[in-house]
Structures are given as C-alpha cells and as structure tokens.
Amino acid sequence: MKFEHLIEINDLNNPLTQVITREQLWRGLVVRAESPKFFVPYMDDCTITERADKAISRTLKFGDLIINDKVQFDPQNYVHYDVAAQNDIPHSTLRMSIEEPQPHALFVRFAYDDGHTAAEDAENEMYNEYRRSAYQEADIDTIKVIREMVEEGLLPASLNS
C-alpha cells in the first residue's frame, strides 16, 4: 500500500492560530524520531542502538513485539523511517517531508509504502482503508503534540531563543 497525505501546519488566514516556524516543526519531527513515546503512549520502550551524523537505528518495544528500524534525517526537509523485513513484519517506509510553498505556509507530507505489490494491495483493500485512516489519525496526533510542545515552550522559535 502506497499512501500519502498532507497536513497543514500554519493556517495563515486564521490569526488565532499560533504560527510555527520551520525550525520548530523540524525539531518536533526529530523529537518524534528520538523520543517516540511522547507521540505513541502505548509504546513500552524505544532504545537508540546506533547514532550517526544524519541517522539513528532504534529498537521499539510494544509488549512482546520488537521492531528494529532506521531513521534518516535531511535537516529541515524530511525524516525517513525504514523498517527492514523482520519476523512477520514486511519491509516498509514512512517519510515525513516539510513543504513550504510560500513563506510560513508549512505543511507536512506523510508518505507510506508497505512494499506490497498492486495485486497484494487489491487483495487487502478493505484492510488498507482502515490502515490509511489509522495512519492519518496518528499523523494528526503527531502535529497536535508538536503544536503542544511549541505552546509549552519546549520547541523555541529558533536555537537562539
């Protein structure tokens, strides 16, 4: 299943919405990768097993389920999650890309790929509808948590703030 959607971060037509800077949004996406329990409360544990210049490897624990993945960073642009095939889990990816079609008009594009063929997707269409809905809700929650972190001052507007 290949699925993507866009979430608007700053509604520039609504003066009541706090404008989030690209840097705040970026740091929020990095926090989601490095400390995912803020975003996924049912996760039991996340251990960063390796850290490189623009990537981390992690072990995620959900009860008896253990998932190993790698997260790559292109600063201020995207965070890319890559889950290698393991046990009953097929290879999959998620890319969260920041888009800014005009100054301060920020969006995040969430792009999922579970590695299945078109034929497999057709067989699983009903199940995939539920997955798309769950992914979209989780992504909306991600942006909500980032917005809350900004409002609480945990993600200042710039590193100099």
Side-chain angles (χ1 to χ4, degrees):
M1 176 186 78
K2 291 170 183 51
F3 168 65
E4 66 179 57
H5 67 102
L6 205 56
I7 295 181
E8 182 178 34
I9 306 304
N10 295 325
D11 181 354
L12 300 179
N13 295 319
N14 183 351
L16 301 177
T17 303
Q18 180 178 1
V19 173
I20 293 177
T21 67
R22 186 181 191 107
E23 190 168 316
Q24 287 171 312
L25 178 58
W26 170 251
R27 281 187 277 140
L29 294 177
V30 171
V31 169
R32 185 190 183 281
E34 293 184 341
S35 302
K37 287 181 69 171
F38 285 117
F39 300 84
V40 185
Y42 54 87
M43 178 183 296
D44 295 320
D45 192 36
C46 172
T47 304
I48 296 176
T49 57
E50 188 178 333
R51 188 178 292 272
D53 184 36
K54 293 183 180 178
I56 58 174
S57 295
R58 314 178 304 171
T59 298
L60 311 172
K61 293 183 183 176
F62 302 88
D64 292 335
L65 177 64
I66 296 175
I67 299 172
N68 295 299
D69 69 0
K70 184 172 185 172
V71 184
Q72 296 176 317
F73 304 99
D74 183 2
Q76 304 287 328
N77 293 310
Y78 66 79
V79 177
H80 181 85
Y81 295 81
D82 192 333
V83 179
Q86 51 201 289
N87 301 321
D88 293 335
I89 300 169
H91 176 257
S92 63
T93 64
L94 163 61
R95 182 176 293 231
M96 298 177 185
S97 304
I98 298 174
E99 298 182 9
E100 189 172 8
Q102 65 184 40
H104 309 293
L106 295 173
F107 295 82
V108 176
R109 180 174 304 278
F110 295 84
Y112 294 86
D113 185 348
D114 68 2
H116 287 136
T117 65
E120 290 169 319
D121 285 346
E123 288 176 22
N124 295 316
E125 185 53 35
M126 187 177 80
Y127 174 68
N128 287 341
E129 276 301 312
Y130 290 111
R131 286 184 31 193
R132 283 189 282 270
S133 179
Y135 289 163
Q136 196 160 1
E137 288 304 313
D139 299 338
I140 289 167
D141 286 345
T142 288
I143 299 306
K144 180 182 171 200
V145 170
I146 290 172
R147 186 166 289 288
E148 289 169 355
M149 294 175 110
V150 167
E151 291 169 359
E152 293 171 13
L154 300 173
L155 299 172
S158 71
L159 291 177
N160 299 327
S161 297

